[in-house]
Amino acid sequence: MGGGAAGRKRYLVDPPLTTVHQPLTEMAVAATELALALGRGEKVPRVGVELATTLTVRASTAPQT
């Protein structure tokens, strides 16, 4: 399984790899907001951030039986 479906790279392997799209913009926003809050001296809860991902199944994944 690959880590993303970036541009033409997905056409360079055979069979095409199954990939997971990670919401990089949303991840960056969450990290920036946390860093800014910490920089302001705010107390932040120790809570994980859960963001949606998208699985793109391609030929590298075995068929379900």
Side-chain angles (χ1 to χ4, degrees):
M1 180 166 67
R8 296 178 298 219
K9 290 181 184 179
R10 63 182 169 179
Y11 300 111
L12 298 177
V13 293
D14 188 35
L17 297 177
T18 294
T19 57
V20 176
H21 167 76
Q22 297 177 338
L24 298 180
T25 300
E26 292 88 344
M27 292 166 66
V29 168
T32 302
E33 289 174 348
L34 176 61
L36 290 172
L38 290 171
R40 291 188 296 265
E42 296 176 13
K43 191 170 185 178
V44 294
R46 295 186 74 167
V47 178
V49 176
E50 189 171 316
L51 301 171
T53 58
T54 304
L55 179 66
T56 303
V57 178
R58 297 196 175 99
S60 63
T61 303
Q64 293 182 345
T65 56

